[in-house]
Amino acid sequence: MVGMTADGSAPTSAARNAARTATRESAFVKACHREPVPHTPVWFMRQAGRALPEYRALREGTEMLQACTTPDLVTEITLQPVRRYGVDAAIFFSDIVVPLKAIGVDLDIVPGVGPVVAQPFRTEQDLDRLPALTPEHVPYVTEAVQALTGELGATPLIGFAGAPFTLASYLVEGGPSKNHAATKALMYGQPALWSALLDRLATITLGFLRVQIDAGVSAVQLFDSWVGALPAADYRAYVQPHSARVLAAVADVPRIHFGVGTGELLHDMGQAGADVVGVDWRVPLSDAVQRIGPGKAVQGNLDPTLVFAPEEVVARKVRETLEQGRAAEGHVFNLGHGVLPETDPDALLRVVELVHAGL
Ligand code: 1CP
């Protein structure tokens, strides 16, 4: 399926180019390119998921990783929030640990917990368990992306992957972690092994993004969710070169780079090679724009808990966020982190309507 044709081009390239052309004039892609837009585009991190009753119904009896490897389910779950909210982009339904599972790492996504790794990463020998990812490892991704771009037409599909630091945290800790203590102990204590680990993870991550791009996604988001645990100097020394290698390898589509609690890292994350820097809710967008500097768009940053507040408060905060976003060369409206499972979908629908109506 992924071999080369006689003229040396990948057989997926015609469909990929058609999808890219269909979405080029969308508000989302234009905002990523810092071009004028008819309205501020909006989508939500974790827009597919437990907040939607139709998602809960579809997922019933199917485990998370099973769902992620079943193209029909991936396609339907990805489309659900686009239908319901009329958002300006879809995000491919998967998880940051899917590529690790695909190359053979023994892990599971435990309901109510998150990714759990059977044998955490400890020594140099563990590097052997992290081979490069090829398209043959994830045929269900190629299949689902192709089906989705056909269904979505002019609505862009965002591909994504976990950045090397955040993936390393799950591998080293063995599961979700608050302080990332074992991860940091490895990073500061065995810098050569750390660098080798992040190099392997960068190769896996860019392989996973490349599969999605070659199948037709219009943009990618690199999630470094937990890198806000580091001071800027250590981010630059231990993490940024690896994230930069990933981002440089996918420069043929707009690249969004996001993490939580990254107020001190925004400039350096932009310099890692992002076109769009994702901002969490702790930093006002107008300040974020100053920190990031010129030549970048921004994405964010309504507090995901804010949609539990009264309607008029939500409306005011949406307007504030839009206003602050005007300081940026391009603004993609989003939450400051993922949709919480308890969120009322109607509250998100109202946010989309407010963003599209503008000030
Ligand atoms: O059974 C379930 O429904 C499990 C819940 C769930 C879902 C719906 C998990 C487990 N992952 C997902 C899907 C998912 N994961 C998406 C869906 C696409 C969309 O946005 O609509 C995305 C983008 C992710 C990416 C992801 N997974 C990140 C980065 C984004 C972020 O939230 O910062 C991270 C850190 C993960 C790990 C993960 N997977 C699942 C959970 C509960 C977690 C977090 C665990 C932790 O706190 O460390």
Side-chain angles (χ1 to χ4, degrees):
M1 174 180 27
V2 287
M4 292 291 158
T5 54
D7 70 353
S9 63
T12 52
S13 62
R16 178 196 64 200
N17 293 342
R20 216 68 68 62
T21 305
T23 59
R24 179 63 188 87
E25 296 304 313
S26 65
F28 169 77
V29 172
K30 284 182 156 203
C32 292
H33 285 304
R34 310 191 311 282
E35 294 168 6
V37 286
H39 62 263
T40 302
V42 52
W43 68 280
F44 303 116
M45 292 183 272
R46 297 272 177 112
Q47 63 191 15
R50 277 180 298 162
L52 291 181
E54 58 270 37
Y55 170 84
R56 294 195 298 268
L58 203 58
R59 274 287 316 281
E60 201 151 327
T62 308
E63 289 184 1
M64 180 64 190
L65 283 170
Q66 181 68 38
C68 291
T69 53
T70 308
D72 286 353
L73 278 178
V74 171
T75 303
E76 177 57 23
I77 292 172
T78 303
L79 292 172
Q80 284 177 344
V82 179
R83 288 192 202 109
R84 186 186 267 259
Y85 302 128
V87 279
D88 292 274
I91 179 156
F92 186 68
F93 183 78
S94 188
D95 192 83
I96 59 168
V97 298
V98 165
L100 298 178
K101 178 78 179 177
I103 58 159
V105 175
D106 185 2
L107 63 84
D108 201 2
I109 297 181
V110 178
V113 178
V116 174
V117 177
Q119 286 176 276
F121 183 94
R122 290 284 175 267
T123 68
E124 203 176 335
Q125 284 69 49
D126 292 326
L127 291 170
D128 296 341
R129 295 195 278 131
L130 300 171
L133 179 139
T134 68
E136 289 77 10
H137 285 116
V138 287
Y140 42 85
V141 172
T142 301
E143 197 181 318
V145 169
Q146 288 178 342
L148 275 164
T149 54
E151 294 271 341
L152 283 163
T155 303
L157 176 64
I158 304 169
F160 76 90
F165 177 87
T166 291
L167 289 179
S169 169
Y170 286 105
L171 278 180
V172 174
E173 308 288 341
S177 161
K178 215 170 160 182
N179 301 315
H180 312 282
T183 311
K184 287 175 160 184
L186 179 72
M187 186 180 95
Y188 292 121
Q190 296 177 266
L193 180 56
W194 172 260
S195 180
L197 170 61
L198 262 68
D199 187 61
R200 291 285 174 122
L201 293 173
T203 299
I204 293 163
T205 283
L206 73 86
F208 192 57
L209 291 175
R210 182 46 55 196
V211 169
Q212 297 172 67
I213 294 169
D214 286 346
V217 300
S218 293
V220 291
Q221 176 151 328
L222 186 63
F223 281 98
D224 213 348
S225 300
W226 313 136
V227 78
L230 298 181
D234 294 340
Y235 171 77
R236 288 192 295 269
Y238 295 102
V239 175
Q240 193 192 39
H242 303 283
S243 299
R245 184 161 77 83
V246 174
L247 291 166
V250 295
D252 42 340
V253 293
R255 298 154 295 180
I256 310 167
H257 195 20
F258 168 79
V260 183
T262 50
E264 299 297 325
L265 306 181
L266 289 172
H267 181 75
D268 293 320
M269 289 180 75
Q271 294 308 305
D275 302 292
V276 184
V277 179
V279 183
D280 87 353
W281 66 93
R282 293 172 179 88
V283 183
L285 273 189
S286 39
D287 289 1
V289 168
Q290 295 302 317
R291 294 181 192 189
I292 294 163
K296 309 281 174 191
V298 298
Q299 176 174 279
N301 71 343
L302 191 75
D303 185 337
T305 66
L306 213 110
V307 290
F308 298 89
E311 274 184 46
E312 61 276 14
V313 179
V314 179
R316 194 177 74 234
K317 288 286 185 183
V318 168
R319 277 197 295 276
E320 269 175 33
T321 306
L322 283 171
E323 210 165 314
Q324 291 179 353
R326 288 180 200 280
E329 295 173 39
H331 178 207
V332 176
F333 195 101
N334 206 314
L335 302 178
H337 197 195
V339 172
L340 296 167
E342 307 80 20
T343 301
D344 173 6
D346 287 340
L348 289 178
L349 180 59
R350 282 194 293 277
V351 170
V352 172
E353 287 166 355
L354 287 166
V355 173
H356 283 168
L359 285 181

